[in-house]
């Protein structure tokens, strides 16, 4: 059986901490949903539009 990843798991895969996810989730809910989480699709999109931090660090290390 296939299970869908939660937004928090997606953020973890991209190299972000749980504190970063909590801050983004709170800001998103306060700004757009007035404290009521209507959908987590924006959190999925934010994770998908980011770059993996560890990969970027490795690229910069090899460049310099």
């Amino acid at each position: 059986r296939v299970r869908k990843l939660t937004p928090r798991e997606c953020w973890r895969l991209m190299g972000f901490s749980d504190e970063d996810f909590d801050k983004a989730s709170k800001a998103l809910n306060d700004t757009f949903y007035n404290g009521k989480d209507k959908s987590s699709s924006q959190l999925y999109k934010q994770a998908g539009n980011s770059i993996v931090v560890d990969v970027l660090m490795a690229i910069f290390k090899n460049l310099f």
Side-chain angles (χ1 to χ4, degrees):
R1 183 175 158 156
V2 177
R3 181 181 70 85
K4 184 177 178 182
L5 292 174
T6 65
R8 184 178 299 271
E9 291 171 333
C10 292
W11 278 62
R12 286 176 182 164
L13 285 173
M14 297 305 288
F16 292 102
S17 67
D18 286 346
E19 293 84 23
D20 294 334
F21 173 79
D22 292 335
K23 289 177 187 177
S25 178
K26 183 179 181 329
L28 185 68
N29 289 336
D30 291 346
T31 304
F32 294 109
Y33 303 130
N34 296 325
K36 300 174 185 170
D37 187 13
K38 301 290 183 191
S39 171
S40 58
S41 63
Q42 288 298 320
L43 292 169
Y44 284 112
K45 288 179 185 179
Q46 289 176 355
N49 288 333
S50 65
I51 185 169
V52 180
V53 176
D54 295 334
V55 172
L56 183 63
M57 289 173 54
I59 291 171
F60 282 146
K61 183 178 177 184
N62 285 331
L63 285 175
F64 299 114

